[in-house]
Amino acid sequence: MSSVSGIAATPELVSAFADAIRNDDVRVFKISIVNETLVNDQTWPKSGDLMHDFERIQTYVEDNVPAYLLVRLDTTPTSEWLAISY
């Protein structure tokens, strides 16, 4: 899977995201670009409701370091995600 820019997601990222959709236990994926590839930098489990977990978003990012965050919403079905680019 690659975007128009040619940057592709690693098989590990694709697999981890597919697992998260099935298992409903991951709240946030932090995705970074490494060597022109999207990689799963870190994941965080749900620790409360969306607002509680969203308040901690600032701890997931670093100043001047670009990243994408995929945040699972508290909706039904639970496979709805918010995409944030930083």
Side-chain angles (χ1 to χ4, degrees), residues 45-64:
K46 288 182 178 180
S47 64
D49 66 10
L50 176 63
M51 292 310 294
H52 175 265
D53 290 343
F54 199 78
E55 290 173 356
R56 298 180 9 206
I57 289 287
Q58 66 188 6
T59 64
Y60 303 149
V61 295
E62 303 168 58
D63 290 342
N64 302 314

Side-chain angles (χ1 to χ4, degrees), residues 10 12-13 16 28-34 37-44 60-62 65-69:
T10 63
E12 294 83 7
L13 172 58
V28 178
F29 275 93
K30 180 181 178 190
I31 301 168
S32 299
I33 299 175
V34 177
T37 305
L38 296 172
V39 298
N40 184 13
D41 191 345
Q42 295 180 4
T43 59
W44 290 272
Y60 303 149
V61 295
E62 303 168 58
V65 178
Y68 299 102
L69 299 175

